Amino acid sequence: MAEAVSSVEAGTETSREWRGGVSPFGLSWGKLMMWIFLLSDAFTFGGLLTAYAIARSSVANWPPQLEIFGIGLVTTMTFILICSSATMAVAVQAAKASDHRRVERFLIYTIVGGIIFLGFQAYEWSHFIHEGATLSTNPWGVPAFSASFFVVTGFHGSHVTSGVIYLGYVLLRVRQERMAMEAWRNPLRDRNGRRIDVGARVKLLSKPQAPESTVETVNVRNDQVVALVPGKATNDAETFPASAIKVVEEAPEPPMPVDHFTRSERVENVGLYWHFVDLVWVFVFTLMYLI
Amino acid sequence: MTTQTHGHGRPPGTDAGHAHGGGYAGYATTWFYLLAITLVEVAIVEAKAWFGLDLPAFMRIGSLIALTVLKAGLIMAYFMHLKFERRSLVLILLVPIVLLVLLYVMILPDAHTFRAVNPGMKEGAGPSHGTPTHAPAPAATPRSGH
């Protein structure tokens, strides 16, 4: 009994059915919040598309949208967005498999797809505007036509834009964390194989007379060590290559860099958002262009 | 209250590599189907131009909506992992779809009323079924009386 309660409270039971307890969805807080946001966003788009459908039903001579926008352009945009959704899915899978370099690569592909999509949309909009369409009027005589087009695709486009920014942020964080982890796994070492960490007491081989100094910062990528050199002006730090350092006393090993928001989780959440943007486009493509 | 006996249990959705239809390959399959369905949609719209097939409107619109729902289902089930999440989450997400269909059905009669009492909208204010290359005749008439 006690065991059952504890697994329910911890929200760790693996069943697909909810058996009571505090975690009906079996999701972490971050993912649950993303789903709640997407749900509210789905209502926003649902409302906009319903308004569009109503506007369209109230007009007999709705302009031929497909001729105006061109099916080739719109289909290309759809293909690009579906492809970027697929690369996003690969990034998520790679994040779960802790394949961080693949995560970074596929996040970049996804961002590029989003930017190309936005470029096409900018082209489409500027064409439409040049033909005389505004938010309230257009040459085709049905004001609701351009109004609904601008509002719906504009709303979707702003979601793509936010998505590109969000993806860029996640890419930076994933990269930072990978580099921190690599630096932790492969610290700089002196000739005797002793770790050079911040706070280590070192002798400077290039300055035999100088007394022991303390390592101030370490740059693993460039093999550079900034050490405080005593005897000169206070807080006078100089940069040395790792080869010019002999560790006298190692600093305590730094703890493993862990983020409170695990990497996989962060990528999964941006993935949900990006797939949602693709999902909305699936409906926009059919309702605003094809039908 | 130890978690040792059942501590390995993770929520279904976070279980990496577990029954995901083969990881990367599964995503490739979904991706392929999404592109293929998009092509079918375009073919339905261009049926007359490509195959000389004049589909009746209800068939065209009905099949387009069915294919769109199918695409949306593929994205949600595989890309958004809903197939591997707990069922209560799936049910919560289905609610808005039902509500939106209801919303549309409830407002639709109003749209037809609007159309009936505004015969002016049928003529249109600009060139009806105009081609975009025509000189823009600015639609100076907003929705009259509304």
Side-chain angles (χ1 to χ4, degrees), chain A residues 2-7 9-19 23-28 31-32 35 38-39 42-43 45-47 49-50 53-64 66-68 71 75 78-79 82-86 89-97 99 102 130-132 136-144 265 268 271-273 275-276 278-279 282-283 285-287 289-291, chain B residues 1-3 5-17 20 22-24 27 30-31 34-36 38-39 41-42 45-46 50 60-61 64-65 67-69 71-73 75-76 78-90 92-97 99-100 103-104 107-108 110-112 114-115 118 121-143:
Chain A
E3 271 183 21
V5 168
S6 69
S7 94
E9 278 174 354
T12 53
E13 79 273 45
T14 48
S15 160
R16 281 207 76 207
E17 305 293 340
W18 181 39
R19 295 187 189 144
S23 179
F25 303 116
L27 296 175
S28 67
K31 226 180 192 185
L32 184 60
W35 271 114
L38 292 184
L39 194 57
F43 274 115
F45 277 107
L49 286 172
T50 308
I54 300 302
R56 207 175 148 172
S57 312
S58 23
V59 177
N61 59 336
W62 194 262
L66 211 53
E67 290 170 28
I68 294 165
I71 193 164
T75 309
T78 307
F79 269 52
I82 289 176
C83 290
S84 83
S85 219
V90 172
V92 170
Q93 183 74 12
K96 287 181 177 175
D99 187 352
R102 195 195 287 258
H130 273 293
E131 280 168 14
S136 52
T137 61
N138 61 69
W140 295 274
V142 182
E265 179 87 15
E268 280 173 54
L272 280 179
Y273 177 84
H275 295 315
F276 174 77
D278 185 33
L279 182 69
V282 162
F283 285 98
F285 175 60
T286 303
L287 298 176
Y289 295 98
L290 294 187
I291 288 184
Chain B
M1 295 295 272
T2 56
T3 51
T5 45
H6 40 253
H8 327 287
R10 300 170 72 195
T14 58
D15 215 353
H20 276 191
Y24 299 124
Y27 291 128
T30 310
W31 174 60
L34 288 174
L35 291 186
T38 306
L39 272 185
E41 284 179 330
V42 173
V45 172
E46 298 285 327
W50 291 0
R60 194 167 46 85
I61 293 175
L64 282 177
I65 289 181
L67 288 173
T68 302
V69 171
K71 266 164 88 179
I75 292 175
M76 292 203 288
Y78 293 98
F79 281 178
M80 298 176 94
H81 284 259
L82 271 187
K83 203 178 171 207
F84 313 102
E85 302 287 2
R86 205 164 277 172
R87 203 155 292 140
S88 42
L89 179 68
V90 181
I92 279 284
L93 299 176
L94 285 179
V95 171
I97 298 172
L99 287 179
L100 285 170
L103 177 68
Y104 180 65
I107 306 180
L108 193 60
D110 219 30
H112 286 285
F114 182 83
R115 203 150 134 178
N118 281 279
M121 291 305 289
K122 275 181 186 158
E123 268 70 62
S128 58
H129 290 266
T131 43
T133 43
H134 280 177
T141 39
R143 284 191 180 182

Side-chain angles (χ1 to χ4, degrees), chain B residues 45-66:
Chain B
V45 172
E46 298 285 327
K48 199 171 179 184
W50 291 0
F51 318 109
L53 202 66
D54 205 357
L55 291 171
F58 78 92
M59 262 177 77
R60 194 167 46 85
I61 293 175
S63 56
L64 282 177
I65 289 181

Side-chain angles (χ1 to χ4, degrees), chain A residues 175-243:
Chain A
R175 220 176 116 74
Q176 266 176 9
E177 285 164 18
R178 170 177 62 78
M179 286 179 3
M181 185 62 93
E182 280 175 2
W184 181 80
R185 283 212 185 103
N186 297 307
L188 273 193
R189 291 180 189 278
D190 70 356
R191 293 165 179 201
N192 303 326
R194 305 187 78 181
R195 297 175 59 108
I196 308 177
D197 288 312
V198 173
R201 302 288 296 163
V202 294
K203 286 284 279 181
L204 305 167
L205 298 178
S206 53
K207 298 188 174 190
Q209 310 91 322
E212 278 181 22
S213 51
T214 310
V215 173
E216 185 90 319
T217 57
V218 177
N219 186 340
V220 176
R221 298 193 80 189
N222 303 330
D223 271 13
Q224 294 288 303
V225 178
V226 175
L228 262 177
V229 184
K232 293 164 116 192
T234 47
N235 277 357
D236 205 353
E238 274 186 54
T239 307
F240 303 92
S243 55

